[in-house]
Amino acid sequence: MMDLPILSILIFLPLIGAVTLLFVPREKELAIKTTALIFSVVEFFVSLPLFFEFDETKRGMQFIEKYPWFPEWGIAYHLGIDGISLLLILLTTFLTVLCVLCSWTDIKDKIKEYYISFLFLETAMVGTLCALDLVLFYVFWELMLVPMYLLIGVWGGPRRIYAAVKFFLYTMAGSVLMLLAIFALYYLYFKEKGIFTFDLLELYTAHIPISVQYVLFAAFSISFAIKVPMFPFHTWLPDAHTEAPTAGSVILAGVLLKMGTYGFIRFAIPLFPKAAYDAIPLMSVLAIIGIIYGAIVSMMQPDLKRLIAFSSVSHLGYVMLGMFAFNMQGVEGSIYQMLNHGISTGGLFLLVGMLYERRHTRMIADFGGLSSVMPVYAVFFMIVTLSSIALPGTNGFVGEFLILLGAFKAKKIYGILGATGVILGAVYMLWMFRRVMFGVLTHEENKHLKDLSKREIFIMSCIVFFIILMGVYPKAFFKKMDVSVEEFLRFVNERNAYYSKVEQTSTLPTIITFKGEK
């Protein structure tokens, strides 16, 4: 199994599925849906051996594939994963299967193009998480934009064009800054070592002047902060979430937002450690503002989807707060919270989509008392809501507990302010649940709503399975990321200590070897 180029297979299998769909006649809708489902399920099962074969005691990247692409320019087809990207890849392949299933009756127009876009998007997402060459990463990063733009703009709600263009422009603006920073890094490395390369692992060893680090860190950070979406770069998110089809909202919340937080861990922080450390107060304050602001604005939303969208701003604030705590609890909690948010918020968007299919409205005021006519739906809604407010025993509790612990260790005031978001989150989520599920059925249209179908029960059972599993047995996931996070912190701490010493002496030696470097 390990002799196979498993990462390349994972990247291009969905693309083969998209190409296969081109040959399926447009009028054969069932064949189109079945083909898309088969490829997404096979992709998920192909990704599973990664989890079991991944050596959690080994430092560095695994399943490496490296071939020259444009050797004269220093560009290579270089792939590899560690414990961080491993878990995000599994989240991607898992959610894609659910997205294909939940679109089964939701999408009625341009079905063939819809599933082609979705499979193409999966290729770009997995490629982004595997790329270890900056050009290759940038190519996959940009490729994610196109299918997501189409999913919002073609299959979205009434204001889909506005939301799609806003999403595209925001992300594109950030990408241009990142591209310029990549070129600067490329020439800095050549100036120091006389070699042109975009290889990430090589660029980690570059010695970048501190003043330049601030500029490049800012460029990378803005690009990733837009994707997170971090306050104040979040304004595209509510529109994109609200207008996207259900599966689009799920994959946007579940995976695409994580590309921003993943970008900080994989690129912005280890490449520019001194600037990252000096940015701790700024990033922590912005994260806390996002936590509290997202929670308060969520309370005021009359639309279920917009409420969940703003709650994402709050939840992703926790991820950033934990990451910039720069300790084991904070960073591991941050990564775990990425997975939690994908599962819990993805589940909430799925539930809202199921309700919208029946009532064609998402306004909270149009509901009330649904638990009496949709008891199965109510049970799933309750479990996912409790997961979202981090009830002990669910996945959300583990991530938020570790993040707050890490934040307290880093600076007590960060932990205290971050904890207010837990209370606010419980308020708006439980208030929303009460207004939708309890009370008297006052709307005639709600009295005859059908409960969940077998397909919908299967989808939600998969979500609940991981909510419980990750809540009661987190060790299965932490053991895969422990060594990778230790290595990340060791590398960044050593680098920061070195640059701090350089800053004091105002001299920068040309070559210095760190523990674990080549």
Side-chain angles (χ1 to χ4, degrees):
M1 181 72 190
M2 291 305 101
D3 294 333
L4 293 172
I6 185 73
L7 298 184
S8 291
I9 293 172
L10 273 174
I11 291 171
F12 294 108
L13 186 60
L15 188 62
I16 293 170
V19 173
T20 305
L21 283 178
L22 290 173
F23 299 98
V24 181
R26 185 177 301 278
E27 61 276 11
K28 294 189 175 179
E29 294 182 2
L30 183 60
I32 292 170
K33 294 174 186 175
T34 307
T35 304
L37 181 61
I38 289 171
F39 273 95
S40 63
V41 170
V42 171
E43 172 81 350
F44 174 64
F45 280 107
V46 171
S47 69
L48 285 181
L50 283 182
F51 186 82
F52 297 107
E53 296 288 341
F54 186 84
D55 186 350
E56 59 258 27
T57 63
K58 188 177 175 184
R59 296 180 183 275
M61 297 292 168
Q62 300 184 35
F63 308 108
I64 289 176
E65 298 173 34
K66 188 172 184 179
Y67 308 100
W69 189 9
F70 294 100
E72 64 276 20
W73 298 340
I75 303 173
Y77 178 78
H78 190 186
L79 306 175
I81 60 170
D82 61 2
I84 301 167
S85 39
L86 165 73
L87 297 175
L88 291 173
I89 288 171
L90 292 171
L91 177 69
T92 304
T93 58
F94 169 69
L95 285 180
T96 302
V97 175
L98 300 190
C99 287
V100 170
L101 274 174
C102 83
S103 305
W104 209 261
T105 54
D106 185 33
I107 301 301
K108 298 179 175 64
D109 187 33
K110 298 184 178 65
I111 294 173
K112 182 172 171 176
E113 289 82 356
Y114 175 83
Y115 286 106
I116 288 174
S117 298
F118 226 99
L119 290 174
F120 187 75
L121 178 61
E122 188 174 21
T123 283
M125 291 187 296
V126 176
T128 303
L129 294 168
C130 294
L132 293 180
D133 182 281
L134 284 177
V135 171
L136 191 63
F137 169 79
Y138 189 78
V139 168
F140 283 123
W141 178 272
E142 290 300 292
L143 284 179
M144 286 190 298
L145 269 179
V146 180
M148 198 62 224
Y149 173 82
L150 292 174
L151 287 171
I152 299 171
V154 177
W155 293 277
R159 296 176 68 243
R160 58 184 178 274
I161 301 299
Y162 169 77
V165 171
K166 194 174 180 182
F167 161 76
F168 194 91
L169 289 179
Y170 261 76
T171 313
M172 197 68 196
S175 298
V176 171
L177 283 176
M178 182 168 64
L179 184 62
L180 293 174
I182 288 172
F183 284 141
L185 200 56
Y186 180 68
Y187 281 103
L188 281 169
Y189 188 85
F190 174 74
K191 191 176 174 184
E192 180 190 345
K193 303 198 177 180
I195 301 169
F196 283 121
T197 183
F198 286 101
D199 190 298
L200 179 65
L201 303 186
E202 294 294 334
L203 292 172
Y204 278 165
T205 66
H207 302 103
I208 304 166
I210 294 171
S211 59
V212 179
Q213 280 197 40
Y214 292 124
V215 178
L216 299 185
F217 177 77
F220 270 92
S221 294
I222 290 173
S223 178
F224 296 139
I226 289 173
K227 205 76 154 190
V228 169
M230 195 174 183
F231 181 89
F233 302 104
H234 65 285
T235 61
W236 62 270
L237 178 75
D239 294 315
H241 267 318
T242 307
E243 299 304 320
T246 299
S249 296
V250 173
I251 211 70
L252 187 59
V255 181
L256 262 68
L257 304 189
K258 311 305 176 310
M259 295 304 176
T261 47
Y262 172 76
F264 273 101
I265 286 186
R266 180 68 73 232
F267 299 94
I269 295 174
L271 283 171
F272 318 110
K274 175 62 179 167
Y277 262 86
D278 289 349
I280 287 175
L282 173 65
M283 303 303 276
S284 299
V285 168
L286 289 177
I288 290 167
I289 291 174
I291 291 169
I292 298 174
Y293 165 83
I296 291 174
V297 177
S298 293
M299 290 182 194
M300 304 171 185
Q301 298 306 310
D303 184 313
L304 279 168
K305 247 189 168 184
R306 285 188 79 82
L307 185 152
I308 300 167
F310 275 108
S311 77
S312 287
V313 177
S314 188
H315 287 140
L316 268 297
Y318 279 109
V319 175
M320 294 303 294
L321 183 65
M323 190 184 300
F324 276 85
F326 281 104
N327 53 44
M328 199 68 184
Q329 293 87 353
V331 176
E332 286 206 321
S334 170
I335 296 165
Y336 208 67
Q337 189 67 359
M338 291 188 213
L339 305 177
N340 294 336
H341 182 260
I343 300 290
S344 303
T345 305
L348 285 171
F349 277 122
L350 285 166
L351 287 163
V352 172
M354 291 166 187
L355 204 53
Y356 185 79
E357 271 195 71
R358 288 162 170 76
R359 278 284 275 114
H360 300 290
T361 177
R362 297 185 301 262
M363 305 308 287
I364 296 173
D366 290 334
F367 300 107
L370 288 188
S371 60
S372 61
V373 291
M374 301 176 70
V376 178
Y377 180 86
V379 169
F380 282 120
F381 206 156
M382 181 187 69
I383 295 171
V384 181
T385 300
L386 294 177
S387 156
S388 186
I389 65 175
L391 187 83
T394 65
N395 57 340
F397 173 76
V398 181
E400 287 192 9
F401 177 80
L402 281 176
I403 287 171
L404 291 176
L405 188 62
F408 266 107
K409 283 183 70 174
K411 198 166 188 175
K412 288 184 177 58
I413 189 66
Y414 294 157
I416 293 168
L417 292 173
T420 60
V422 177
I423 301 165
L424 294 171
V427 170
Y428 70 76
M429 287 303 293
L430 292 176
W431 189 36
M432 177 270 290
F433 186 78
R434 183 187 69 78
R435 286 181 290 166
V436 173
M437 287 296 154
F438 297 135
V440 182
L441 270 171
T442 53
H443 295 275
E444 191 63 30
E445 302 93 320
N446 295 339
K447 292 180 180 175
H448 306 291
L449 289 179
K450 290 184 179 176
D451 211 339
L452 297 187
S453 65
K454 289 178 182 175
R455 174 180 58 85
E456 291 167 330
I457 290 173
F458 173 76
I459 292 171
M460 292 315 303
S461 298
C462 294
I463 292 286
V464 169
F465 172 77
F466 279 102
I467 285 175
I468 304 300
L469 176 65
M470 293 174 70
V472 299
Y473 191 57
K475 185 181 176 183
F477 300 89
F478 280 114
K479 70 179 182 181
K480 295 294 180 184
M481 69 167 105
D482 279 343
V483 171
S484 297
V485 174
E486 281 175 10
E487 182 67 7
F488 166 79
L489 287 171
R490 181 200 63 77
F491 180 82
V492 174
N493 285 331
E494 281 190 11
R495 284 270 167 169
N496 178 57
Y498 161 70
Y499 281 114
S500 297
K501 191 175 178 182
V502 168
E503 190 175 40
Q504 289 170 1
T505 57
S506 300
T507 56
L508 184 65
T510 305
I511 298 175
I512 186 168
T513 303
F514 294 87
K515 182 183 174 185
E517 275 188 9
K518 290 180 180 179

